[in-house]
Amino acid sequence: MLLTVLSWSISLLAASCGAKLPDPEVKVEVLHRPFLCHRKSKYGDMLLVHHEGYFENGTRFHNSRSDDNQQPVWFTLGIKEVIKGWDKGLQDMCAGEKRKLIVPPALAYGKEGKGKIPPESTLTFIIEVMEIRNGPRSHESFQEMDLNDDWKLSKYEVKEYLRKEFERHGYPPNDTLHENMMEDIFAKEDENKDGFISSREFTYKHDEL
């Protein structure tokens, strides 16, 4: 009770003085870091992770290695696909690195909670990064797609990239599907409708990101 009153009083004092309370932070502890690190994670990268989640009392609520699906998950760092605590706490990681994150409610599921997560829960995650790839909006991905290095993507270049991605993931080529996907991409990304996607149009952070 005393802590609640004290916290409320500090909030009132800060507001009356025009001060801004500090933003909540994620506590990060590196549990393992590989000797060799070829790249570190940054906003826009795609990460493949295994993770465990714990409540403050130590009860585990999720384990990607032993739960029903037993699969790591892919997500893009920094575009709100995951909770804010992950976006903040998983920067500058190496493939093979494992971290412990203690995430306050404001950077997790907040006042509403979600599913089995009660409102105002501080959560602990043990997260291991299995793989790091260039994200869909990265300069590296653009350069990989830009076959003739002219700093713009033609419809042919986008279709070739889609074909290679399908093959890399073990799917057979499908010209009709690739054509439809390419047309959809150009409809959304070719802002000036000149028949090309420029580097700015490609890497610009749209509202949905």
Side-chain angles (χ1 to χ4, degrees):
M1 180 65 180
L2 177 60
L3 289 176
T4 302
V5 173
L6 182 59
S7 175
W8 178 72
S9 301
I10 292 173
S11 297
L12 284 180
L13 180 61
S16 66
C17 295
K20 181 182 178 182
L21 292 174
D23 291 332
E25 292 293 333
V26 179
K27 293 182 180 178
V28 178
E29 179 183 350
V30 177
L31 302 178
H32 171 74
R33 179 174 288 147
F35 179 72
L36 294 176
C37 184
H38 300 292
R39 65 178 292 179
K40 291 187 177 181
S41 59
K42 63 183 184 303
Y43 278 179
D45 282 341
M46 293 178 63
L47 307 186
L48 180 67
V49 304
H50 266 301
H51 63 288
E52 302 172 35
Y54 297 86
F55 295 119
E56 280 189 286
N57 63 6
T59 301
R60 187 169 66 189
F61 61 84
H62 182 73
N63 183 356
S64 63
R65 295 184 189 274
S66 63
D67 289 350
D68 292 339
N69 60 359
Q70 295 185 348
Q71 293 291 330
V73 295
W74 282 103
F75 70 94
T76 303
L77 188 66
I79 64 170
K80 301 180 181 179
E81 283 188 7
V82 290
I83 60 174
K84 291 180 181 179
W86 281 30
D87 277 342
K88 287 177 173 284
L90 300 182
Q91 299 177 59
D92 297 319
M93 287 189 74
C94 308
E97 184 173 338
K98 183 183 288 188
R99 288 184 181 180
K100 175 181 179 180
L101 307 182
I102 299 178
V103 183
L107 300 179
Y109 298 102
K111 297 178 180 179
E112 293 78 24
K114 183 177 181 181
K116 65 179 75 172
I117 311 296
E120 297 292 357
S121 293
T122 295
L123 304 175
T124 297
F125 295 95
I126 307 297
I127 302 176
E128 182 178 3
V129 173
M130 314 301 292
E131 189 175 343
I132 303 172
R133 291 184 184 172
N134 296 329
R137 294 284 180 186
S138 69
H139 287 285
E140 293 90 346
S141 291
F142 181 88
Q143 290 171 339
E144 182 180 350
M145 298 170 73
D146 184 17
L147 300 177
N148 60 359
D149 296 324
D150 64 353
W151 290 97
K152 58 185 179 182
L153 302 179
S154 67
K155 292 185 176 182
Y156 169 78
E157 288 171 326
V158 171
K159 282 180 64 176
E160 278 296 293
Y161 180 79
L162 292 172
R163 182 183 62 78
K164 290 177 183 177
E165 282 295 290
F166 267 60
E167 289 180 353
R168 186 160 67 89
H169 290 284
Y171 297 107
N174 185 325
D175 287 340
T176 301
L177 178 60
H178 298 167
E179 181 77 22
N180 291 338
M181 291 176 68
M182 178 272 294
E183 292 292 348
D184 184 58
I185 289 170
F186 267 79
K188 294 176 180 177
E189 307 296 339
D190 182 14
E191 295 177 357
N192 61 5
K193 305 304 177 186
D194 65 348
F196 294 92
I197 298 174
S198 68
S199 61
R200 180 198 171 278
E201 288 171 332
F202 181 84
T203 58
Y204 175 71
K205 267 197 171 181
H206 295 259
D207 292 340
E208 68 268 19
L209 300 183

